[in-house]
């Protein structure tokens, strides 16, 4: 047995280079350290309190090589299982421990998972515009930049601030206000508009580019079935989060009525949020992430389970996941046999400066790089320049004022 790598210290670093990120840095007595992401958009300080009050004291002195045992200790040992705060705190620890192990062995993380299964990770970018024409122009920009897959969101007549449409075309960040910004939603207007967008995109760009769309939990199962049917002629790669997945059986209804592929899971915390969806073959892609689902240790287990039913991965990759999560996701994506696609919203230059990383983009794919560990780090001096700024995600109401799903 090699000597243990004792955890000497663990610290939480909160930084806000344009938006908030929570980072856990674990140091060992042999000088090797690792970093993990614990960001929970709009609820960052809850994860900080969980890590500092309940996790870090239990880590000191443990052998950092015991990734599985520490995962089980934090998951079972909490007694109160699952939930976004707990699972992100566990994910932060798990990412840092995989980073330490791979660095100590001098290999890129994907080597520890089983080695590379592909040359580069297919990603999709986010195109959005106030109307169909502006959105199509944005799709064109992504295709010109080499993207092979593009998510398209467009404004809906009569709907102020619809999901996914931003003023800054390069960097979309929905958490804007210290209190939630109020937005308005109209399902009838949206159901009329969405097919017009994808008809226009196929007319302009032909059959080849992969097109994706995020419904962002706004529809009922039957409305989602109607949308899926109306989009079938435009051959989407996926329709995402068509309805909230609290009731997993709702997806079976959508499935019975449309062949438009379905993706779900960016708000999932564990396999138990996805089990019925997978077993009933109601979905095509699972958007669970290393950050949301307790790290690599649990996400690989979910992916193996999903593979039995030919469900593929499509990890969440919005800008509220730090470059540390992006890096871990890319190592996971490079290995996972049932890979589908990876979401990629570019981080700002300020964020990239705080989190130097080994991954890079070329020809529509991201490459994790060959640096030992996951290849992402935090520049603490740079991080200290950007103190925490309270921000929350918006809320949505129907046109008559009724609270709805943002
Ligand atoms: O709204 O991560 O597919 N991507 C998304 C994201 C989510 C944000 C919420 O913090 O739905 O843009
Ligand atoms: Co989404």
């Amino acid at each position: 047995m090699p000597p243990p790598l004792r955890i000497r210290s663990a610290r939480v670093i909160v930084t806000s280079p344009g938006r908030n990120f929570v980072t856990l840095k674990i140091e060992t007595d042999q000088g090797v350290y690792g970093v993990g992401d614990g960001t929970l958009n709009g609820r960052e300080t809850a994860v900080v309190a969980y890590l500092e009050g309940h996790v870090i004291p239990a880590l000191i002195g443990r052998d950092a090589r015991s990734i599985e045992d520490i995962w089980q200790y934090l998951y079972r040992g909490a007694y109160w299982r699952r939930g976004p705060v707990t699972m992100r705190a566990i994910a932060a620890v798990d990412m840092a421990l995989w980073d330490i192990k791979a660095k100590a062995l001098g290999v890129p993380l994907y080597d520890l998972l089983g080695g590379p299964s592909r040359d580069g990770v297919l990603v999709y970018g986010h195109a959005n515009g106030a109307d169909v024409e502006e959105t199509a122009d944005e799709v064109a920009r992504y295709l010109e930049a080499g993207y092979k897959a593009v998510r398209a969101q467009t404004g809906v007549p009569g709907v102020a601030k619809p999901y996914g449409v931003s003023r800054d075309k390069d960097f979309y960040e929905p958490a804007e206000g210290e209190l939630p910004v109020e937005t308005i939603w109209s399902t009838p207007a949206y159901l009329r508009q969405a097919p017009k967008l994808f008809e226009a995109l196929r007319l302009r760009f032909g059959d080849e580019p992969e097109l994706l769309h995020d419904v962002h939990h706004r529809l009922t199962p039957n409305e989602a079935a109607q949308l899926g049917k109306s989009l079938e002629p435009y051959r989407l790669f996926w329709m995402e989060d068509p309805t909230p997945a609290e009731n997993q059986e709702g997806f079976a209804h959508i499935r019975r009525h449309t062949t438009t592929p379905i993706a779900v899971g960016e708000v999932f915390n564990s396999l138990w949020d996805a089990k019925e969806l997978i077993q009933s073959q109601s979905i095509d892609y699972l958007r669970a992430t290393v950050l949301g689902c307790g790290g690599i240790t649990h996400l690989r287990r979910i992916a193996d389970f999903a593979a039995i039913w030919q469900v593929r991965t499509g990890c969440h990759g919005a800008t509220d996941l730090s470059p540390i999560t992006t890096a871990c996701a890319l190592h996971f994506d490079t290995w996972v046999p049932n890979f589908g696609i990876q979401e990629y919203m570019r981080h700002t230059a300020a964020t990239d400066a705080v989190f130097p990383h080994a991954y890079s983009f070329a020809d529509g794919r991201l490459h994790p790089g060959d640096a030992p560990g996951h290849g992402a780090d935090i520049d603490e001096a740079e991080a200290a320049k950007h103190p925490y700024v309270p921000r929350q995600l918006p809320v949505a109401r129907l046109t008559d004022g009724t609270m709805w799903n943002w």
Side-chain angles (χ1 to χ4, degrees):
M1 282 274 277
L5 272 164
R6 294 263 173 241
I7 296 176
R8 194 185 61 193
S9 73
R11 285 181 293 124
V12 181
I13 302 154
V14 179
T15 179
S16 189
R19 61 163 342 290
N20 294 315
F21 295 108
V22 174
T23 305
L24 178 69
K25 182 166 181 176
I26 298 181
E27 289 167 305
T28 67
D29 58 1
Q30 294 180 36
V32 187
Y33 69 91
V35 291
D37 182 16
T39 307
L40 177 56
N41 202 3
R43 297 289 186 273
E44 295 86 1
T45 52
V47 184
V48 176
Y50 195 102
L51 283 167
E52 290 181 342
H54 309 291
V55 174
I56 289 175
L59 291 178
I60 307 303
R62 281 177 198 276
D63 184 353
R65 292 179 312 149
S66 300
I67 298 175
E68 185 69 49
D69 183 66
I70 290 174
W71 195 94
Q72 299 291 340
Y73 182 90
L74 294 175
Y75 182 81
R76 294 171 194 270
Y79 184 67
W80 313 105
R81 295 186 186 197
R82 303 158 60 192
V85 176
T86 299
M87 296 307 281
R88 272 173 164 77
I90 295 176
V93 174
D94 193 74
M95 289 185 218
L97 295 182
W98 279 101
D99 193 25
I100 288 172
K101 187 187 282 287
K103 278 179 176 171
L105 295 169
V107 297
L109 206 166
Y110 62 73
D111 253 354
L112 299 184
L113 301 176
S117 301
R118 56 193 54 81
D119 304 323
V121 169
L122 178 68
V123 296
Y124 68 93
H126 281 212
N128 67 84
D131 54 29
V132 168
E133 202 182 320
E134 192 186 39
T135 306
D137 289 345
E138 286 299 309
V139 171
R141 277 215 304 148
Y142 276 89
L143 297 176
E144 281 156 22
Y147 285 79
K148 304 191 185 324
V150 186
R151 184 187 97 157
Q153 310 289 137
T154 196
V156 177
V159 174
K161 289 177 99 32
Y163 167 77
V165 179
S166 82
R167 275 184 301 270
D168 184 328
K169 290 285 164 268
D170 288 325
F171 304 105
Y172 176 64
E173 176 42 65
E176 284 182 313
E178 191 163 339
L179 285 174
V181 169
E182 303 247 344
T183 67
I184 302 296
W185 178 252
S186 164
T187 293
Y190 168 74
L191 288 177
R192 288 192 296 270
Q193 179 77 346
K196 290 181 191 158
L197 169 64
F198 288 95
E199 180 185 29
L201 295 182
R202 281 295 175 217
L203 276 172
R204 179 158 163 191
F205 301 109
D207 287 336
E208 202 175 339
E210 299 289 5
L211 299 175
L212 300 85
H213 182 64
D214 193 347
V215 186
H216 222 258
H217 325 272
R218 300 297 168 91
L219 303 178
T220 65
N222 198 49
E223 289 162 352
Q226 291 173 40
L227 176 69
K229 267 183 136 163
S230 69
L231 295 177
E232 277 172 21
Y234 315 118
R235 212 186 41 78
L236 263 57
F237 187 92
W238 78 33
M239 155 175 93
E240 172 181 339
D241 287 338
T243 194
E246 286 146 324
N247 176 14
Q248 298 186 29
E249 289 169 7
F251 282 73
H253 177 83
I254 306 172
R255 189 60 139 188
R256 272 194 295 275
H257 294 284
T258 180
T259 55
T260 293
I262 300 167
V264 69
E266 67 184 43
V267 303
F268 289 1
N269 306 137
S270 83
L271 172 63
W272 303 102
D273 292 325
K275 181 170 169 285
E276 302 302 325
L277 291 168
I278 295 168
Q279 280 180 315
S280 63
Q281 308 193 62
S282 297
I283 61 169
D284 300 275
Y285 297 94
L286 192 61
R287 289 183 42 69
T289 65
V290 284
L291 173 56
C293 284
I296 290 166
T297 296
H298 189 61
L299 189 63
R300 72 198 302 212
R301 222 149 258 158
I302 300 177
D304 280 342
F305 180 81
I308 296 169
W309 286 274
Q310 301 199 44
V311 173
R312 285 180 281 182
T313 64
C315 293
H316 186 211
T319 40
D320 47 291
L321 291 68
S322 92
I324 296 171
T325 291
T326 309
C328 289
L330 293 174
H331 285 269
F332 171 82
D333 295 336
T334 295
W335 155 73
V336 70
N338 47 325
F339 172 72
I341 201 166
Q342 168 70 48
E343 182 179 29
Y344 178 45
M345 284 172 83
R346 291 177 311 275
H347 288 106
T348 60
T351 297
D352 284 340
V354 172
F355 298 99
H357 50 75
Y359 60 81
S360 58
F361 176 87
D363 292 331
R365 292 186 157 76
L366 276 172
H367 302 265
D370 296 321
H374 55 50
D377 206 343
I378 183 163
D379 179 331
E380 293 191 58
E382 201 59 34
K385 294 180 191 165
H386 307 283
Y388 171 70
V389 183
R391 288 263 184 279
Q392 294 196 56
L393 288 168
V395 294
R397 293 183 187 276
L398 302 181
T399 48
D400 70 354
T402 307
M403 275 298 297
W404 197 241
N405 315 313
W406 176 72

